[in-house]
Amino acid sequence: MGIGDKAKNKFEEASGRAKESTGAATGNDELKNEGRAEQGESKVKQVGENLKDAAKNLKR
């Protein structure tokens, strides 16, 4: 996994956390849920990239 992909996934996760916090603070459930969804998607991507890295290490 490239450094760019890792950074992008972390940014998406942080963005999701910010949306969730903002939604919770303002009482906007839609924004809060959107933030949670973004965090979940980011974590799934991170797991997939970690599996790719592990597979590359096994081939060595």
Side-chain angles (χ1 to χ4, degrees):
M1 175 162 100
I3 297 290
D5 290 335
K6 287 182 181 181
K8 183 179 173 187
N9 289 337
K10 287 294 181 180
F11 176 78
E12 287 177 6
E13 184 178 354
S15 175
R17 262 190 258 123
K19 283 183 180 182
E20 182 182 7
S21 296
T22 302
T26 61
N28 185 335
D29 288 335
E30 185 176 332
L31 185 61
K32 186 170 127 178
N33 292 333
E34 183 179 328
R36 285 183 181 164
E38 283 185 15
Q39 289 177 68
E41 289 172 13
S42 175
K43 288 178 183 178
V44 168
K45 288 179 187 177
Q46 288 176 30
V47 168
E49 294 297 334
N50 288 340
L51 288 173
K52 286 181 192 176
D53 287 345
K56 285 181 187 178
N57 290 335
L58 287 175
K59 289 180 183 178
R60 293 183 185 173

